[in-house]
Amino acid sequence: MRDEKLAAYLRTLVVGVDTVVPLVNGKKVTAINFDNAATTPPFVSVLKSVEDFAPWYSSIHRGSGYKSVLSSEIYEETRDAVKNFVKAGGQDVVIYTKNTTEAINMLAYLLRQEDGDQVVLSTDMEHLANDLPWQSQLAVDYVRVDRFGNLCLDDMEAKLKKYSGKVKLVTVTGASNVTGIINPVYRIATLAHAYGARILVDGAQWVPHCPVDMKPEDSPEHIDFLVFSAHKMYAPFGIGILIGPQAFFAQFPPVYQGGGDVRLVSRQMIEWQQPPAKNEAGTPNIMGVVALLAALKTLTGIGMSTVRNYERDLIHYALGGLSRLSGVTLYGWENNRQERVSLCSFTVQGIHHKLLAEVLSYEAGIAVRNGLFCAHPYVENLLQLSAEKLDYYHCHPEVPLPGMVRMSLGLYNNYAEIDKFLEALRWAIANKEYCRSQYIIKPDN
């Protein structure tokens, strides 16, 4: 059911929703941003908080001036707000990083120090940020996906049995950045713990869209490690979050070493700080933390259940419209009852994904994402690209790569924007020859 009052209110919370952009024909239109899975615009509250804090900005932890003390207090107090937002446990610490990618790389490096012979069980639907770091540090195996892009939990359990306790970590995305499918993370956590493994959830596409509960440490559904990024939740100031047990991080030397992560150093010894300070060398990004805190307050004020329900109605409306268009193939979509976050990917017969993204931008002012979405194996699987075909693209860099078009919605998008999107897509489908004659598909760099 449409709630126009809610939609109008949510739109007032976000900066830039009425920005006007030029079209190829010289006209100007209000931009439509359907690329929120990559990054979101800031909340009004976020910009105001950063501006209000700017006069008080100072060094963190190592200054005695009033501004420095105030900045340090804000920096540390924000950790509790983060823990409350995802219901982290009392033994968990919040470590600030640059983004989700750095958080996963940090964890991979530390796990390598813990046990270099352990196996990490990943999946065939992961973003490369939750794949490549494991490949570079540890032995990795992958859980299969079915033809609709869903995880095969039977395959996961079979692999857990196969390795007989050597799997020390199951790492899985909370929601796919390609199909929007929400994974059954609590069932996966229960399964992982039953075989002596911990679980990491990549929450980059999950945390901004749904209520998240890491569950108590003694629960079989407990999420051991969680990572996500502020720039995907309306606070684009460069903060990532890694949450996990303090005792785990206390065991190892930190990945990044320098000022701020030590208590005492001599030429004979190094005494590290306790986590999380131990894992945050250098000058912290206090502006990013202030922005994150403002975003969390705004999202909490709306209610994450409200966000989930509103965005779910939007994406189901969009999927219904897309499914009725001639020549459109949707990926990761069996029916409109699937639980997903507010994004979907598709192709249009006869129009290259790069060309279609440009047409939507220059002809209608609509921003979408196209390509492989940094989830190459998953997209290649969904597109049913053979090894021979992939080798052909590898050997012929002058040929544009295959891919999809992705529309991803934020809480400020509305039904009218989706209608304009579907209308623009209909026009592109009906005018394929014009589009191909007017736009050049350039090779990928």
Side-chain angles (χ1 to χ4, degrees):
M1 180 183 295
R2 297 193 186 192
D3 188 339
E4 299 296 348
K5 186 176 180 180
L6 174 63
Y9 167 68
L10 293 174
R11 203 160 172 81
T12 67
L13 301 178
V14 177
V15 175
V17 294
D18 295 321
T19 301
V20 173
V21 296
L23 302 181
V24 71
N25 61 9
K27 295 182 179 179
K28 293 185 177 181
V29 296
T30 300
I32 296 175
N33 181 32
F34 283 170
D35 192 19
N36 294 281
T39 194
T40 50
F43 279 138
V44 173
S45 62
V46 165
L47 287 190
K48 185 176 188 307
S49 292
V50 169
E51 184 179 3
D52 289 348
F53 174 73
W56 304 98
Y57 172 81
S58 188
S59 60
I60 306 299
H61 297 149
R62 294 181 289 281
S64 58
Y66 182 85
K67 288 184 179 183
S68 181
V69 172
L70 178 64
S71 295
S72 299
E73 288 177 353
I74 292 172
Y75 185 79
E76 291 302 328
E77 289 170 0
T78 303
R79 299 189 205 271
D80 289 333
V82 173
K83 290 178 70 172
N84 290 336
F85 190 75
V86 296
K87 296 181 173 57
Q91 303 304 310
D92 287 328
V93 292
V94 172
I95 295 170
Y96 289 123
T97 63
K98 288 190 299 186
N99 46 42
T100 303
T101 300
E102 184 177 72
I104 296 173
N105 273 271
M106 182 182 291
L107 185 58
Y109 181 87
L110 295 175
L111 282 169
R112 176 70 176 82
Q113 295 183 61
E114 180 184 53
D115 179 3
D117 293 328
Q118 66 183 296
V119 175
V120 171
L121 191 56
S122 185
T123 85
D124 281 336
M125 70 189 301
E126 300 306 310
H127 190 284
L128 294 179
N130 199 25
D131 181 3
L132 299 183
W134 306 113
Q135 289 189 39
S136 68
Q137 298 291 337
L138 296 156
V140 187
D141 202 350
Y142 298 93
V143 177
R144 292 186 294 104
V145 296
D146 64 20
R147 66 191 182 94
F148 293 110
N150 299 295
L151 279 184
C152 299
L153 295 191
D154 288 344
D155 186 54
M156 178 176 289
E157 184 164 19
K159 286 182 166 66
L160 286 165
K161 289 179 180 177
K162 169 186 170 182
Y163 288 104
S164 304
K166 286 197 71 175
V167 174
K168 298 300 175 66
L169 183 76
V170 174
T171 183
V172 62
T173 184
S176 168
N177 74 310
V178 177
T179 58
I181 291 171
I182 297 175
N183 280 319
V185 294
Y186 300 116
R187 287 175 58 195
I188 294 170
T190 300
L191 189 59
H193 294 144
Y195 287 89
R198 292 168 291 202
I199 179 174
L200 161 67
V201 177
D202 175 359
Q205 299 295 341
W206 185 43
V207 174
H209 302 285
C210 307
V212 171
D213 186 344
M214 291 184 68
K215 304 288 186 179
E217 286 92 342
D218 59 356
S219 168
E221 296 182 332
H222 174 60
I223 296 172
D224 300 280
F225 300 100
L226 177 66
V227 294
F228 56 99
S229 288
H231 78 94
K232 296 185 189 294
M233 48 201 306
Y234 309 94
F237 285 85
I239 278 288
I241 297 93
L242 167 59
I243 304 176
Q246 184 181 43
F248 170 82
F249 296 106
Q251 298 175 74
F252 316 108
V255 178
Y256 301 108
Q257 303 182 9
D261 58 0
V262 293
R263 179 179 177 273
L264 182 65
V265 176
S266 72
R267 291 291 176 253
Q268 291 75 43
M269 52 84 75
I270 301 174
E271 181 185 351
W272 300 108
Q273 295 270 31
Q274 289 299 306
K278 175 182 180 179
N279 304 95
E280 295 178 352
T283 300
N285 178 8
I286 179 63
M287 287 298 193
V289 168
V290 168
L292 172 63
L293 179 60
L296 294 181
K297 287 180 177 178
T298 299
L299 288 168
T300 301
I302 300 167
M304 290 309 296
S305 293
T306 299
V307 172
R308 176 194 58 199
N309 295 339
Y310 176 71
E311 291 185 347
R312 180 170 54 197
D313 290 345
L314 278 184
I315 194 62
H316 285 179
Y317 179 75
L319 284 165
L322 284 166
S323 68
R324 292 188 290 272
L325 293 180
S326 174
V328 170
T329 299
L330 287 163
Y331 296 91
W333 185 71
E334 292 179 73
N335 53 61
N336 239 345
R337 295 186 298 275
Q338 282 177 298
E339 279 298 314
R340 64 177 65 247
V341 292
S342 54
L343 67 89
C344 65
S345 296
F346 61 94
T347 55
V348 173
Q349 185 178 6
I351 310 180
H352 192 273
H353 62 92
K354 269 190 163 186
L355 186 153
L356 183 55
E358 289 198 8
V359 167
L360 290 171
S361 175
Y362 294 121
E363 301 285 342
I366 300 171
V368 294
R369 179 69 48 142
N370 70 284
L372 299 167
F373 315 125
C374 297
H376 295 211
Y378 190 39
V379 176
E380 291 159 4
N381 187 313
L382 292 169
L383 291 174
Q384 299 181 357
L385 297 175
S386 65
E388 292 76 18
K389 191 68 173 176
L390 291 171
D391 188 58
Y392 170 80
Y393 287 113
H394 175 65
C395 296
H396 295 83
E398 74 282 1
V399 178
L401 294 173
M404 303 172 180
V405 173
R406 180 184 70 193
M407 70 171 303
S408 53
L409 309 175
L411 56 80
Y412 63 95
N413 292 125
N414 57 36
Y415 293 95
E417 291 179 317
I418 295 172
D419 287 338
K420 290 176 183 177
F421 165 75
L422 293 172
E423 181 183 350
L425 200 52
R426 249 182 243 108
W427 179 89
I429 292 170
N431 294 275
K432 293 178 184 177
E433 293 303 324
Y434 167 82
C435 295
R436 285 193 289 259
S437 69
Q438 295 298 312
Y439 292 88
I440 300 172
I441 305 173
K442 298 177 182 178
D444 300 84
N445 295 327

